[in-house]
């Protein structure tokens, strides 16, 4: 039976999450709640749980302040936030679990179901999340889940991404490859602002990594690593236009 702690400065938010856990995730044992950095850190020192449902903005600081006070905390962190679209994007880039308020019961159950399989958030991913939120800019790094571990990669080093069913095959400028446990559609949405383009149902490429466009044989791109990437019929005009603007 997993154990949990809720840290949130809104009494109603604590009460609602407590009720939802009891109703939808009865297997979770709630060890306690806290409403701030000091009380939260004290509670976690006394009884470290399997998971912490942690609000970002607290009355006496932020959820990150608690993590800085407890650098050896091994609990899995699931942030609960009512933040805007940029903050949600930051969570997705850093591969840190979050629940958007008001919390959907299905999403809560899905998060709890992952507890036995997902590792606690490594400090590097939390640092990536914090840097993104503080900087207010589009991240330059991305956390990628493989079957073995989570890799933090520099986005400018990504040459292309290729769909492989429910997985995505990443190809990097240094020759590395990673098979990532998320769909190409998700990365298409994440990387559009980084000058990535879905040129084919199965291919997402970095515009800055294009070497040339070959018009014969149906039309295809040659990337800087020498690989050939097909271009769908409906994307050819856009590809030609983009290359003309480079």
């Amino acid at each position: 039976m997993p154990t949990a702690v809720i840290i949130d400065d809104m009494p109603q938010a604590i009460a609602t999450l407590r009720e939802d856990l009891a109703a939808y995730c009865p297997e979770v044992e709630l060890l306690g709640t806290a409403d701030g950095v000091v009380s939260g850190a004290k509670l976690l020192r006394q009884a470290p749980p399997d998971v912490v449902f942690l609000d970002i903005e607290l009355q006496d600081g932020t959820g990150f302040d608690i993590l800085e006070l407890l650098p050896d905390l091994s609990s899995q962190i699931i942030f609960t936030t009512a933040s805007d679209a940029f903050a949600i994007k930051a969570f997705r880039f850093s591969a840190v679990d979050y629940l958007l308020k008001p919390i959907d019961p299905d999403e809560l159950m899905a998060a709890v179901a992952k507890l036995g399989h997902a590792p606690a958030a490594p400090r590097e991913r939390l640092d990536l999340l914090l840097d993104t939120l503080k900087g207010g800019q589009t991240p330059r790094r991305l956390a990628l889940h493989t079957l073995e571990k989570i890799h933090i990669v520099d986005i400018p080093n990504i040459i292309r991404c290729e769909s492989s069913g429910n997985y995505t095959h990443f190809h990097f400028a240094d020759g590395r490859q990673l098979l990532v446990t998320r769909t190409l559609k998700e990365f298409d949405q994440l990387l559009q602002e980084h000058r990535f383009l879905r040129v084919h149902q199965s291919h997402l490429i970095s515009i800055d990594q294009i070497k040339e466009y070959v018009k014969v044989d149906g039309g295809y791109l040659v990337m800087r690593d020498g690989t050939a990437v097909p271009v769908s019929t409906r994307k050819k005009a856009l590809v030609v236009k983009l290359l003309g603007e480079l």
Side-chain angles (χ1 to χ4, degrees), residues 145-208:
H145 281 263
T146 66
L147 291 174
E148 298 82 21
K149 60 178 67 175
I150 298 173
H151 304 257
I152 307 296
V153 303
D154 293 321
I155 294 173
N157 288 336
I158 302 171
I159 290 182
R160 62 188 181 92
C161 310
E162 184 174 354
S163 176
S164 181
N166 290 326
Y167 295 81
T168 301
H169 210 149
F170 273 73
H171 299 259
F172 298 90
D174 60 5
R176 272 195 311 153
Q177 298 184 21
L178 290 176
L179 185 63
V180 179
T181 57
R182 292 170 71 181
T183 65
L184 186 66
K185 179 180 179 180
E186 294 180 70
F187 293 112
D188 182 15
Q189 296 169 346
L190 277 182
L191 295 172
Q192 285 180 2
E193 295 181 14
H194 287 271
R195 291 173 54 80
F196 278 73
L197 178 65
R198 186 88 170 260
V199 296
H200 185 277
Q201 181 178 357
S202 300
H203 296 278
L204 176 68
I205 59 97
S206 168
I207 295 172
D208 296 325

Side-chain angles (χ1 to χ4, degrees), residues 44-45 48 66-75 77 120-121 123:
L44 293 176
R45 285 195 183 100
I66 294 178
L67 300 179
E68 289 179 1
L69 289 171
L70 304 172
D72 297 325
L73 182 67
S74 60
S75 306
I77 308 298
R123 183 64 49 171

Side-chain angles (χ1 to χ4, degrees), residues 35-222:
D35 61 3
V37 173
V38 175
S39 59
K42 181 178 180 180
L43 176 61
L44 293 176
R45 285 195 183 100
Q46 292 173 344
D50 295 313
V51 59
V52 183
F53 293 96
L54 181 60
D55 192 15
I56 294 180
E57 299 295 335
L58 300 169
Q59 58 183 1
D60 55 351
T62 72
F64 295 105
D65 295 330
I66 294 178
L67 300 179
E68 289 179 1
L69 289 171
L70 304 172
D72 297 325
L73 182 67
S74 60
S75 306
Q76 182 170 338
I77 308 298
I78 298 179
F79 287 97
T80 58
T81 178
S83 299
D84 59 17
F86 178 79
I88 300 307
K89 182 181 293 185
F91 282 108
R92 296 175 66 196
F93 269 93
S94 57
V96 172
D97 289 330
Y98 72 94
L99 291 169
L100 184 63
K101 296 178 181 178
I103 296 172
D104 181 273
D106 289 335
E107 294 182 2
L108 175 61
M109 288 187 288
V112 169
K114 290 168 54 181
L115 292 179
H117 309 283
R123 183 64 49 171
E124 189 175 13
R125 281 193 289 147
L126 292 171
D127 288 344
L128 173 56
L129 173 61
L130 182 57
D131 289 346
T132 303
L133 290 171
K134 282 185 174 179
Q137 300 176 352
T138 302
R140 288 182 56 83
R141 296 188 298 159
L142 176 65
L144 298 176
H145 281 263
T146 66
L147 291 174
E148 298 82 21
K149 60 178 67 175
I150 298 173
H151 304 257
I152 307 296
V153 303
D154 293 321
I155 294 173
N157 288 336
I158 302 171
I159 290 182
R160 62 188 181 92
C161 310
E162 184 174 354
S163 176
S164 181
N166 290 326
Y167 295 81
T168 301
H169 210 149
F170 273 73
H171 299 259
F172 298 90
D174 60 5
R176 272 195 311 153
Q177 298 184 21
L178 290 176
L179 185 63
V180 179
T181 57
R182 292 170 71 181
T183 65
L184 186 66
K185 179 180 179 180
E186 294 180 70
F187 293 112
D188 182 15
Q189 296 169 346
L190 277 182
L191 295 172
Q192 285 180 2
E193 295 181 14
H194 287 271
R195 291 173 54 80
F196 278 73
L197 178 65
R198 186 88 170 260
V199 296
H200 185 277
Q201 181 178 357
S202 300
H203 296 278
L204 176 68
I205 59 97
S206 168
I207 295 172
D208 296 325
Q209 295 284 353
I210 297 174
K211 181 179 180 182
E212 59 187 12
Y213 175 59
V214 180
K215 297 181 179 180
V216 299
D217 297 328
Y220 61 91
L221 291 166
V222 178

